Amino acid sequence: MASVVVVGSINLDIVASASRLPTPGAKVTDALLTHHPGGGGANQALAARRLGADVSLMGRVGSDAEADTALALLRENGVDLAGVVEVPDTATGVALIAVAASGENQIVVAPGANLRLMSESLQVPAVDALIGEHLAPRDAVARAIETFDGFTCVTLATASEVDEVVLRHADLIVVNESEAAWYGDSLALQKGLVAKTSGASGAALYRGGEQLARAASPAVKAVDTTGAGDTFTAALTLALVEGQPYAEALSFACAAGAAATQRNGAQPSLPTRDEVERLLKGND
């Protein structure tokens, strides 16, 4: 069993599922409201665990009732939470998510306790791989990746400035189409692998600007795309650590991401390894 540590955000997702997403200044009044555990780091940790890895999570939650909800599925699935610290007098991070019937979403995040993840307090365990989520404080992610002795992955989850240490030391960088466009040629200058995701169109893997592999995403009926990117990242990291060839690893990750869109909610939708492998076989 591969071992993975994730440094990233932990949130409570407040989800409004509606027929369509609102345009600026408009209202949509047919939504159904639900609450789910979420946060990019927490999603990646649970995804890796359900795909078969031994997983630990490093992050921060508030001293409130929302923390218990945010951590519930991680505890239930056996993710090691020794690195998750409760911050007094601080709110747990919250994501406000609107989801359309098509599966598309809009997300606004109030990070709360996630901002209190400090680099000097990190004691990263000796494991096979580390995933750093860029929505966590940048200095904490940079220190974790710079000092970690193993396979490192970073998700540039928003198009914003990133510490050069992260880019220089990452063995794998994951971006979507808009993030890839924002970072531009700087990604091709890095020594590590770069995975560029294109939603339902699949993904491609590069090194030094040269394409190494491309994979299609299995055709599925998307219900909610929240968490699909986090699942892709966890699956690709795990597959590469396991020694899967680039093309097979990318296909596995695309199938995992697609599988995560078939149920509502970020963490409730995360697939098991059996579910991903069945989807892969059905796509052959």
Side-chain angles (χ1 to χ4, degrees):
M1 181 184 293
S3 54
V4 178
V5 61
V6 180
V7 178
S9 61
I10 303 166
N11 293 329
L12 176 65
D13 291 349
I14 300 176
V15 183
S17 301
S19 58
R20 58 184 174 85
L21 297 178
T23 56
K27 292 180 181 178
V28 174
T29 59
D30 63 348
L32 175 67
L33 192 69
T34 55
H35 294 70
H36 303 290
N43 295 346
Q44 291 161 6
L46 184 58
R49 179 62 182 155
R50 286 188 173 170
L51 293 172
D54 184 8
V55 183
S56 54
L57 175 62
M58 307 190 77
R60 299 292 182 267
V61 293
S63 55
D64 51 22
E66 284 73 15
D68 288 335
T69 305
L71 297 173
L73 287 179
L74 295 162
R75 286 198 179 100
E76 182 180 313
N77 284 266
V79 174
D80 184 348
L81 300 178
V84 175
V85 177
E86 181 181 299
V87 182
D89 303 318
T90 304
T92 297
V94 172
L96 306 176
I97 305 174
V99 180
S102 65
E104 292 182 294
N105 61 44
Q106 295 175 340
I107 305 174
V108 176
V109 177
N114 291 303
L115 297 178
R116 300 289 295 277
L117 181 62
M118 303 300 178
S119 60
E120 59 270 17
S121 64
L122 289 180
Q123 299 293 326
V124 181
V127 293
D128 297 319
L130 179 148
I131 301 175
E133 185 217 3
H134 196 220
L135 290 178
R138 288 185 292 178
D139 62 333
V141 173
R143 181 182 182 276
I145 287 179
E146 184 179 22
T147 59
F148 181 70
D149 184 19
F151 185 90
T152 55
C153 169
V154 62
T155 55
L156 303 185
T158 56
S160 60
E161 294 297 329
V162 61
D163 194 316
E164 281 296 320
V165 168
V166 170
L167 298 180
R168 191 166 63 249
H169 287 270
D171 295 302
L172 171 65
I173 299 168
V174 180
V175 290
N176 63 24
E177 290 179 298
S178 62
E179 292 153 5
W182 194 89
Y183 290 103
D185 294 339
S186 65
L187 295 177
L189 301 177
Q190 309 309 318
K191 67 177 183 178
L193 298 167
V194 177
K196 298 181 182 180
T197 64
S198 303
S201 298
L205 193 64
Y206 300 85
R207 190 193 300 274
E210 177 184 354
Q211 182 175 299
L212 304 177
R214 178 173 288 277
S217 182
V220 297
K221 179 175 175 54
V223 174
D224 182 357
T225 58
T226 310
D230 296 322
T231 305
F232 173 93
T233 296
L236 183 57
T237 299
L238 188 56
L240 292 172
V241 168
E242 290 174 348
Q244 293 187 32
Y246 291 149
E248 291 179 19
L250 199 61
S251 292
F252 178 75
C254 286
T261 70
Q262 295 182 283
R263 292 187 287 267
N264 283 309
Q267 290 185 23
S269 72
L270 301 183
T272 64
R273 187 140 193 161
D274 284 346
E275 289 174 319
V276 176
E277 290 175 350
R278 285 198 300 269
L279 187 56
L280 273 172
K281 289 178 182 177
N283 198 51
D284 289 341

